[in-house]
Amino acid sequence: MAFVNQNPILQSLIAEQRVSDPASARGRLLNEAARLFRDKGYERTTVRDLAAAVGIQSGSLFHHFRTKEEILKAVMVETIRLNTALMQAAAGTAESPREKLRALVRTELESINGQTGEAMAVLVYEWRSLSEDSRAEVLELRDIYEELWLSVLRELAAAGELGADPFITRRMLTGALSWTVTWYRPERGGLSLDGLTSQVMSMLGFHPR
């Protein structure tokens, strides 16, 4: 997963051996695997493709992983761990449920449109390619990630600031934010991430005060 290596949250997770160092052989492999799985699909990506992407022999992949499925699982697990930590840090500095929601929206937009975008796309489209046991582990981690959103949305609903059902709101946001990768192009003079975040908040009825 491509990410700024100096990020303190990433460095902490690397030190705890919860994610791979992007500069390491394992980290480079996971980054290339995420790209290939997104572009070609998991089933159509071969071990030879993965090895070629990082410039090694096919057999050398198995120094890091026993199977191709283990690579897919690691892409998903490490991506969720990293993005959960980023979400927790962002929401933890906010002073109100409304600001927490804004922090979550911006952090997810940043993850989708940079940093871990390829791996997040793999999460959406390829989780059914996992075995039952691996899928259960990934879904358990995903539930922790989703609960960050739902807890904030429930707070807003309880305070009368959110009129829609929190679960449905999150499902709608998941689709809308994920789809931005197909059209959001800030390098072409479009909205900044902050600007896009403000637009999302306005659509939810949270206008600047």
Side-chain angles (χ1 to χ4, degrees):
M1 286 104 354
F3 198 78
V4 178
N5 210 25
Q6 289 75 27
N7 182 280
I9 295 172
L10 174 61
Q11 288 300 317
S12 176
L13 293 173
I14 292 171
E16 295 168 6
Q17 297 186 330
R18 298 182 64 211
V19 304
S20 303
D21 185 341
S24 69
R26 178 187 168 99
R28 292 196 304 274
L29 172 57
L30 292 180
N31 186 44
E32 290 299 324
R35 180 183 63 80
L36 286 167
F37 292 157
R38 183 201 64 179
D39 292 347
K40 298 183 65 173
Y42 172 73
E43 292 296 337
R44 291 188 298 275
T45 300
T46 66
V47 169
R48 182 173 295 180
D49 292 332
L50 293 167
V54 291
I56 61 175
Q57 297 293 320
S58 297
S60 299
L61 286 181
F62 302 109
H63 293 306
H64 304 286
F65 300 96
R66 290 176 298 176
T67 65
K68 188 176 78 165
E69 187 196 340
E70 281 195 359
I71 299 173
L72 176 64
K73 177 184 173 183
V75 167
M76 294 183 176
V77 166
E78 294 197 12
T79 299
I80 299 174
R81 285 175 178 168
L82 174 56
N83 284 315
T84 298
L86 292 170
M87 289 284 185
Q88 290 169 332
T93 62
E95 297 182 355
S96 69
R98 180 180 294 211
E99 287 306 308
K100 286 181 183 178
L101 179 59
R102 181 183 178 88
L104 294 179
V105 169
R106 193 194 188 287
T107 302
E108 187 159 281
L109 283 170
E110 188 172 8
S111 296
I112 289 167
N113 291 283
Q115 299 174 358
T116 58
E118 291 167 336
M120 290 188 75
V122 172
L123 266 168
V124 172
Y125 294 111
E126 295 290 355
W127 67 274
R128 289 183 178 85
S129 297
L130 293 171
S131 66
E132 186 174 344
D133 288 345
S134 294
R135 190 184 308 165
E137 183 178 342
V138 169
L139 292 178
E140 184 176 352
L141 291 172
R142 189 197 65 177
D143 287 346
I144 295 170
Y145 178 89
E146 289 299 320
E147 183 58 30
L148 290 171
W149 283 90
L150 291 172
S151 63
V152 172
L153 292 169
R154 290 188 199 108
E155 283 188 81
L156 289 164
E161 294 190 67
L162 179 69
D165 177 87
F167 179 83
I168 293 174
T169 300
R170 175 52 185 156
R171 295 280 74 75
M172 297 290 283
L173 276 172
T174 298
L177 300 184
S178 297
W179 198 249
T180 58
V181 73
T182 67
W183 59 265
Y184 177 55
R185 298 292 182 270
E187 70 276 8
R188 298 178 185 172
L191 284 171
S192 66
L193 274 175
D194 286 330
L196 183 56
T197 300
S198 294
Q199 290 293 311
V200 174
M201 294 295 289
S202 292
M203 289 174 62
L204 292 170
F206 298 106
H207 304 291
R209 289 173 172 174

